[in-house]
Amino acid sequence: MTRSLLLASLLAGSALMFGTAHAAGDKEHGRILVYTCAGCHGVTGYKNAYPNYHVPRIAGQNEDYLVSALKEYKSGNRSHPTMRAQGESLSDQDIADVAAYLASLAKQ
């Protein structure tokens, strides 16, 4: 095994071990799943009733960020009851699919 191939293998293995890599997302499946997101994240100027905060637009967001955020909601490390329920309803592949689709959209 060449030195560069060995290094690449070690880096890939450590990325998987530490959770920084994720499965490739299926944009078409993500498009189907994302309908539940649009109700809040797709409405211009939408604010939650209580507590009052702006709901961010997520179209065009960074894919890795979306995967990380959804996994954090799923695990409870990010606290928001609605987003926790959404995260818990998604498999890791579903999360990758949603993130791939949203990241492929133009920022709005």
Side-chain angles (χ1 to χ4, degrees):
M1 187 179 275
T2 68
R3 184 177 231 187
S4 59
L5 185 56
L6 177 60
L7 180 59
S9 296
L10 289 172
L11 288 173
S14 65
L16 289 173
M17 186 169 59
F18 292 107
T20 58
H22 60 270
D26 176 351
K27 292 178 193 173
E28 184 56 32
H29 186 238
R31 183 185 66 77
I32 294 166
L33 293 174
V34 82
Y35 74 93
T36 61
C37 307
C40 296
H41 291 284
V43 179
T44 302
Y46 182 77
K47 290 187 180 248
N48 192 28
Y50 180 81
N52 187 5
Y53 58 86
H54 170 74
V55 178
R57 300 292 298 253
I58 54 176
Q61 181 59 268
N62 178 279
E63 186 173 350
D64 291 332
Y65 172 79
L66 290 167
V67 168
S68 176
L70 284 169
K71 286 184 175 186
E72 291 287 306
Y73 284 120
K74 182 177 184 171
S75 71
N77 289 331
R78 279 193 182 198
S79 61
H80 186 279
T82 302
M83 287 304 302
R84 174 108 192 240
Q86 290 296 318
E88 288 175 343
S89 74
L90 300 170
S91 69
D92 286 347
Q93 186 61 55
D94 290 341
I95 288 172
D97 296 348
V98 165
Y101 174 71
L102 289 170
S104 75
L105 300 175
K107 283 193 175 194
Q108 298 177 351

